[in-house]
Amino acid sequence: SISAQLVRVWGFDAASQSWKLYDPSVPAELNTLPVLTKGSGYFINVRAATTIVTGSGNLVSLSTGWQILGW
């Protein structure tokens, strides 16, 4: 889990043509991104370097700040 390092995740939902957000610092009802979908791309912001296993099973190193992540 990267929950200790996670700041925010944005993803674009092509079906609804809208941006979806997950931010652990806001009330749950404001989050519109409930799950990460395999094969989708996300903008992810972390407060410190960490690693994550994607939906495809790849281990990815994340640097501090924003980056694009293929799930």
Side-chain angles (χ1 to χ4, degrees):
S1 171
I2 65 165
S3 60
Q5 305 308 330
L6 183 63
V7 176
R8 188 169 294 121
V9 180
W10 283 100
F12 187 74
D13 182 351
S16 66
Q17 292 291 293
S18 64
W19 287 95
K20 305 295 182 180
L21 166 71
Y22 177 75
D23 184 332
S25 71
V26 301
E29 62 271 9
L30 298 179
N31 286 311
T32 55
L33 182 66
V35 296
L36 302 181
T37 305
K38 185 177 176 183
S40 295
Y42 299 95
F43 293 94
I44 185 168
N45 186 1
V46 293
R47 61 179 50 87
T50 190
T51 58
I52 190 170
V53 178
T54 68
S56 301
N58 297 317
L59 182 65
V60 176
S61 295
L62 301 175
S63 302
T64 302
W66 286 101
Q67 51 248 288
I68 298 173
L69 177 66
W71 197 254

mmCIF file with all atom_site columns, all heavy atoms in Angstrom, residues 5 7 44-50 61-67:
data_model
loop_
_atom_site.group_PDB
_atom_site.id
_atom_site.type_symbol
_atom_site.label_atom_id
_atom_site.label_alt_id
_atom_site.label_comp_id
_atom_site.label_asym_id
_atom_site.label_entity_id
_atom_site.label_seq_id
_atom_site.pdbx_PDB_ins_code
_atom_site.Cartn_x
_atom_site.Cartn_y
_atom_site.Cartn_z
_atom_site.occupancy
_atom_site.B_iso_or_equiv
_atom_site.pdbx_formal_charge
_atom_site.auth_seq_id
_atom_site.auth_comp_id
_atom_site.auth_asym_id
_atom_site.auth_atom_id
_atom_site.pdbx_PDB_model_num
ATOM 1   N N   . GLN A 1 5  ? 1.977  7.632  1.445   1.00 0.00 ? 5  GLN A N   1
ATOM 2   C CA  . GLN A 1 5  ? 2.647  8.564  0.538   1.00 0.00 ? 5  GLN A CA  1
ATOM 3   C C   . GLN A 1 5  ? 1.696  9.236  -0.454  1.00 0.00 ? 5  GLN A C   1
ATOM 4   O O   . GLN A 1 5  ? 2.042  10.237 -1.071  1.00 0.00 ? 5  GLN A O   1
ATOM 5   C CB  . GLN A 1 5  ? 3.744  7.836  -0.251  1.00 0.00 ? 5  GLN A CB  1
ATOM 6   C CG  . GLN A 1 5  ? 4.755  7.114  0.586   1.00 0.00 ? 5  GLN A CG  1
ATOM 7   C CD  . GLN A 1 5  ? 5.380  7.989  1.663   1.00 0.00 ? 5  GLN A CD  1
ATOM 8   O OE1 . GLN A 1 5  ? 5.517  9.196  1.509   1.00 0.00 ? 5  GLN A OE1 1
ATOM 9   N NE2 . GLN A 1 5  ? 5.752  7.386  2.766   1.00 0.00 ? 5  GLN A NE2 1
ATOM 10  N N   . VAL A 1 7  ? -0.941 11.437 -2.280  1.00 0.00 ? 7  VAL A N   1
ATOM 11  C CA  . VAL A 1 7  ? -1.553 12.762 -2.139  1.00 0.00 ? 7  VAL A CA  1
ATOM 12  C C   . VAL A 1 7  ? -2.865 12.805 -2.925  1.00 0.00 ? 7  VAL A C   1
ATOM 13  O O   . VAL A 1 7  ? -3.905 13.154 -2.382  1.00 0.00 ? 7  VAL A O   1
ATOM 14  C CB  . VAL A 1 7  ? -0.608 13.879 -2.637  1.00 0.00 ? 7  VAL A CB  1
ATOM 15  C CG1 . VAL A 1 7  ? -1.286 15.237 -2.579  1.00 0.00 ? 7  VAL A CG1 1
ATOM 16  C CG2 . VAL A 1 7  ? 0.684  13.872 -1.845  1.00 0.00 ? 7  VAL A CG2 1
ATOM 17  N N   . ILE A 1 44 ? -0.745 10.568 -10.884 1.00 0.00 ? 44 ILE A N   1
ATOM 18  C CA  . ILE A 1 44 ? -0.653 10.253 -9.459  1.00 0.00 ? 44 ILE A CA  1
ATOM 19  C C   . ILE A 1 44 ? 0.390  11.154 -8.807  1.00 0.00 ? 44 ILE A C   1
ATOM 20  O O   . ILE A 1 44 ? 1.451  11.396 -9.369  1.00 0.00 ? 44 ILE A O   1
ATOM 21  C CB  . ILE A 1 44 ? -0.345 8.756  -9.238  1.00 0.00 ? 44 ILE A CB  1
ATOM 22  C CG1 . ILE A 1 44 ? -0.366 8.392  -7.765  1.00 0.00 ? 44 ILE A CG1 1
ATOM 23  C CG2 . ILE A 1 44 ? 0.962  8.353  -9.887  1.00 0.00 ? 44 ILE A CG2 1
ATOM 24  C CD1 . ILE A 1 44 ? -0.350 6.901  -7.492  1.00 0.00 ? 44 ILE A CD1 1
ATOM 25  N N   . ASN A 1 45 ? 0.055  11.643 -7.627  1.00 0.00 ? 45 ASN A N   1
ATOM 26  C CA  . ASN A 1 45 ? 0.945  12.523 -6.869  1.00 0.00 ? 45 ASN A CA  1
ATOM 27  C C   . ASN A 1 45 ? 1.260  11.854 -5.536  1.00 0.00 ? 45 ASN A C   1
ATOM 28  O O   . ASN A 1 45 ? 0.344  11.507 -4.786  1.00 0.00 ? 45 ASN A O   1
ATOM 29  C CB  . ASN A 1 45 ? 0.264  13.872 -6.646  1.00 0.00 ? 45 ASN A CB  1
ATOM 30  C CG  . ASN A 1 45 ? 1.166  14.892 -5.997  1.00 0.00 ? 45 ASN A CG  1
ATOM 31  O OD1 . ASN A 1 45 ? 2.325  14.641 -5.718  1.00 0.00 ? 45 ASN A OD1 1
ATOM 32  N ND2 . ASN A 1 45 ? 0.630  16.070 -5.754  1.00 0.00 ? 45 ASN A ND2 1
ATOM 33  N N   . VAL A 1 46 ? 2.547  11.660 -5.260  1.00 0.00 ? 46 VAL A N   1
ATOM 34  C CA  . VAL A 1 46 ? 2.979  11.096 -3.980  1.00 0.00 ? 46 VAL A CA  1
ATOM 35  C C   . VAL A 1 46 ? 3.923  12.067 -3.294  1.00 0.00 ? 46 VAL A C   1
ATOM 36  O O   . VAL A 1 46 ? 4.637  12.813 -3.939  1.00 0.00 ? 46 VAL A O   1
ATOM 37  C CB  . VAL A 1 46 ? 3.644  9.701  -4.148  1.00 0.00 ? 46 VAL A CB  1
ATOM 38  C CG1 . VAL A 1 46 ? 2.633  8.673  -4.610  1.00 0.00 ? 46 VAL A CG1 1
ATOM 39  C CG2 . VAL A 1 46 ? 4.820  9.746  -5.104  1.00 0.00 ? 46 VAL A CG2 1
ATOM 40  N N   . ARG A 1 47 ? 3.916  12.042 -1.960  1.00 0.00 ? 47 ARG A N   1
ATOM 41  C CA  . ARG A 1 47 ? 4.734  12.991 -1.193  1.00 0.00 ? 47 ARG A CA  1
ATOM 42  C C   . ARG A 1 47 ? 6.169  12.525 -0.994  1.00 0.00 ? 47 ARG A C   1
ATOM 43  O O   . ARG A 1 47 ? 7.030  13.305 -0.607  1.00 0.00 ? 47 ARG A O   1
ATOM 44  C CB  . ARG A 1 47 ? 4.080  13.317 0.138   1.00 0.00 ? 47 ARG A CB  1
ATOM 45  C CG  . ARG A 1 47 ? 3.868  12.180 1.076   1.00 0.00 ? 47 ARG A CG  1
ATOM 46  C CD  . ARG A 1 47 ? 3.216  12.601 2.410   1.00 0.00 ? 47 ARG A CD  1
ATOM 47  N NE  . ARG A 1 47 ? 2.033  13.409 2.294   1.00 0.00 ? 47 ARG A NE  1
ATOM 48  C CZ  . ARG A 1 47 ? 0.793  12.960 2.162   1.00 0.00 ? 47 ARG A CZ  1
ATOM 49  N NH1 . ARG A 1 47 ? 0.574  11.664 2.150   1.00 0.00 ? 47 ARG A NH1 1
ATOM 50  N NH2 . ARG A 1 47 ? -0.220 13.777 2.070   1.00 0.00 ? 47 ARG A NH2 1
ATOM 51  N N   . ALA A 1 48 ? 6.443  11.249 -1.250  1.00 0.00 ? 48 ALA A N   1
ATOM 52  C CA  . ALA A 1 48 ? 7.797  10.710 -1.130  1.00 0.00 ? 48 ALA A CA  1
ATOM 53  C C   . ALA A 1 48 ? 7.934  9.535  -2.090  1.00 0.00 ? 48 ALA A C   1
ATOM 54  O O   . ALA A 1 48 ? 6.937  8.904  -2.460  1.00 0.00 ? 48 ALA A O   1
ATOM 55  C CB  . ALA A 1 48 ? 8.077  10.259 0.294   1.00 0.00 ? 48 ALA A CB  1
ATOM 56  N N   . ALA A 1 49 ? 9.144  9.233  -2.486  1.00 0.00 ? 49 ALA A N   1
ATOM 57  C CA  . ALA A 1 49 ? 9.389  8.116  -3.404  1.00 0.00 ? 49 ALA A CA  1
ATOM 58  C C   . ALA A 1 49 ? 8.861  6.816  -2.807  1.00 0.00 ? 49 ALA A C   1
ATOM 59  O O   . ALA A 1 49 ? 8.975  6.575  -1.603  1.00 0.00 ? 49 ALA A O   1
ATOM 60  C CB  . ALA A 1 49 ? 10.879 8.003  -3.696  1.00 0.00 ? 49 ALA A CB  1
ATOM 61  N N   . THR A 1 50 ? 8.238  6.004  -3.645  1.00 0.00 ? 50 THR A N   1
ATOM 62  C CA  . THR A 1 50 ? 7.668  4.737  -3.216  1.00 0.00 ? 50 THR A CA  1
ATOM 63  C C   . THR A 1 50 ? 7.545  3.814  -4.423  1.00 0.00 ? 50 THR A C   1
ATOM 64  O O   . THR A 1 50 ? 7.867  4.206  -5.534  1.00 0.00 ? 50 THR A O   1
ATOM 65  C CB  . THR A 1 50 ? 6.295  4.963  -2.528  1.00 0.00 ? 50 THR A CB  1
ATOM 66  O OG1 . THR A 1 50 ? 5.856  3.760  -1.923  1.00 0.00 ? 50 THR A OG1 1
ATOM 67  C CG2 . THR A 1 50 ? 5.255  5.476  -3.499  1.00 0.00 ? 50 THR A CG2 1
ATOM 68  N N   . SER A 1 61 ? 8.403  2.205  -9.778  1.00 0.00 ? 61 SER A N   1
ATOM 69  C CA  . SER A 1 61 ? 8.945  3.165  -8.812  1.00 0.00 ? 61 SER A CA  1
ATOM 70  C C   . SER A 1 61 ? 8.339  4.528  -9.095  1.00 0.00 ? 61 SER A C   1
ATOM 71  O O   . SER A 1 61 ? 8.329  4.985  -10.238 1.00 0.00 ? 61 SER A O   1
ATOM 72  C CB  . SER A 1 61 ? 10.466 3.252  -8.943  1.00 0.00 ? 61 SER A CB  1
ATOM 73  O OG  . SER A 1 61 ? 11.050 2.026  -8.594  1.00 0.00 ? 61 SER A OG  1
ATOM 74  N N   . LEU A 1 62 ? 7.828  5.169  -8.059  1.00 0.00 ? 62 LEU A N   1
ATOM 75  C CA  . LEU A 1 62 ? 7.258  6.503  -8.172  1.00 0.00 ? 62 LEU A CA  1
ATOM 76  C C   . LEU A 1 62 ? 8.174  7.495  -7.480  1.00 0.00 ? 62 LEU A C   1
ATOM 77  O O   . LEU A 1 62 ? 8.636  7.253  -6.375  1.00 0.00 ? 62 LEU A O   1
ATOM 78  C CB  . LEU A 1 62 ? 5.874  6.548  -7.526  1.00 0.00 ? 62 LEU A CB  1
ATOM 79  C CG  . LEU A 1 62 ? 4.821  5.592  -8.074  1.00 0.00 ? 62 LEU A CG  1
ATOM 80  C CD1 . LEU A 1 62 ? 3.550  5.671  -7.239  1.00 0.00 ? 62 LEU A CD1 1
ATOM 81  C CD2 . LEU A 1 62 ? 4.535  5.886  -9.529  1.00 0.00 ? 62 LEU A CD2 1
ATOM 82  N N   . SER A 1 63 ? 8.411  8.618  -8.140  1.00 0.00 ? 63 SER A N   1
ATOM 83  C CA  . SER A 1 63 ? 9.207  9.696  -7.563  1.00 0.00 ? 63 SER A CA  1
ATOM 84  C C   . SER A 1 63 ? 8.283  10.665 -6.834  1.00 0.00 ? 63 SER A C   1
ATOM 85  O O   . SER A 1 63 ? 7.080  10.689 -7.084  1.00 0.00 ? 63 SER A O   1
ATOM 86  C CB  . SER A 1 63 ? 9.941  10.455 -8.666  1.00 0.00 ? 63 SER A CB  1
ATOM 87  O OG  . SER A 1 63 ? 10.767 9.583  -9.398  1.00 0.00 ? 63 SER A OG  1
ATOM 88  N N   . THR A 1 64 ? 8.856  11.475 -5.988  1.00 0.00 ? 64 THR A N   1
ATOM 89  C CA  . THR A 1 64 ? 8.082  12.498 -5.307  1.00 0.00 ? 64 THR A CA  1
ATOM 90  C C   . THR A 1 64 ? 7.440  13.430 -6.337  1.00 0.00 ? 64 THR A C   1
ATOM 91  O O   . THR A 1 64 ? 8.073  13.808 -7.305  1.00 0.00 ? 64 THR A O   1
ATOM 92  C CB  . THR A 1 64 ? 8.993  13.315 -4.376  1.00 0.00 ? 64 THR A CB  1
ATOM 93  O OG1 . THR A 1 64 ? 9.599  12.427 -3.451  1.00 0.00 ? 64 THR A OG1 1
ATOM 94  C CG2 . THR A 1 64 ? 8.223  14.384 -3.626  1.00 0.00 ? 64 THR A CG2 1
ATOM 95  N N   . GLY A 1 65 ? 6.170  13.755 -6.136  1.00 0.00 ? 65 GLY A N   1
ATOM 96  C CA  . GLY A 1 65 ? 5.465  14.669 -7.026  1.00 0.00 ? 65 GLY A CA  1
ATOM 97  C C   . GLY A 1 65 ? 4.548  13.938 -7.993  1.00 0.00 ? 65 GLY A C   1
ATOM 98  O O   . GLY A 1 65 ? 4.164  12.800 -7.778  1.00 0.00 ? 65 GLY A O   1
ATOM 99  N N   . TRP A 1 66 ? 4.214  14.631 -9.079  1.00 0.00 ? 66 TRP A N   1
ATOM 100 C CA  . TRP A 1 66 ? 3.280  14.107 -10.089 1.00 0.00 ? 66 TRP A CA  1
ATOM 101 C C   . TRP A 1 66 ? 3.978  13.227 -11.105 1.00 0.00 ? 66 TRP A C   1
ATOM 102 O O   . TRP A 1 66 ? 5.100  13.541 -11.515 1.00 0.00 ? 66 TRP A O   1
ATOM 103 C CB  . TRP A 1 66 ? 2.604  15.263 -10.831 1.00 0.00 ? 66 TRP A CB  1
ATOM 104 C CG  . TRP A 1 66 ? 1.571  15.952 -10.024 1.00 0.00 ? 66 TRP A CG  1
ATOM 105 C CD1 . TRP A 1 66 ? 1.723  17.148 -9.375  1.00 0.00 ? 66 TRP A CD1 1
ATOM 106 C CD2 . TRP A 1 66 ? 0.234  15.523 -9.782  1.00 0.00 ? 66 TRP A CD2 1
ATOM 107 N NE1 . TRP A 1 66 ? 0.543  17.485 -8.740  1.00 0.00 ? 66 TRP A NE1 1
ATOM 108 C CE2 . TRP A 1 66 ? -0.383 16.501 -8.978  1.00 0.00 ? 66 TRP A CE2 1
ATOM 109 C CE3 . TRP A 1 66 ? -0.503 14.407 -10.158 1.00 0.00 ? 66 TRP A CE3 1
ATOM 110 C CZ2 . TRP A 1 66 ? -1.696 16.394 -8.549  1.00 0.00 ? 66 TRP A CZ2 1
ATOM 111 C CZ3 . TRP A 1 66 ? -1.822 14.303 -9.738  1.00 0.00 ? 66 TRP A CZ3 1
ATOM 112 C CH2 . TRP A 1 66 ? -2.402 15.291 -8.945  1.00 0.00 ? 66 TRP A CH2 1
ATOM 113 N N   . GLN A 1 67 ? 3.303  12.191 -11.550 1.00 0.00 ? 67 GLN A N   1
ATOM 114 C CA  . GLN A 1 67 ? 3.744  11.373 -12.671 1.00 0.00 ? 67 GLN A CA  1
ATOM 115 C C   . GLN A 1 67 ? 2.554  10.672 -13.310 1.00 0.00 ? 67 GLN A C   1
ATOM 116 O O   . GLN A 1 67 ? 1.477  10.623 -12.717 1.00 0.00 ? 67 GLN A O   1
ATOM 117 C CB  . GLN A 1 67 ? 4.774  10.329 -12.255 1.00 0.00 ? 67 GLN A CB  1
ATOM 118 C CG  . GLN A 1 67 ? 4.405  9.478  -11.069 1.00 0.00 ? 67 GLN A CG  1
ATOM 119 C CD  . GLN A 1 67 ? 5.286  9.786  -9.891  1.00 0.00 ? 67 GLN A CD  1
ATOM 120 O OE1 . GLN A 1 67 ? 6.437  9.429  -9.899  1.00 0.00 ? 67 GLN A OE1 1
ATOM 121 N NE2 . GLN A 1 67 ? 4.780  10.473 -8.902  1.00 0.00 ? 67 GLN A NE2 1
#
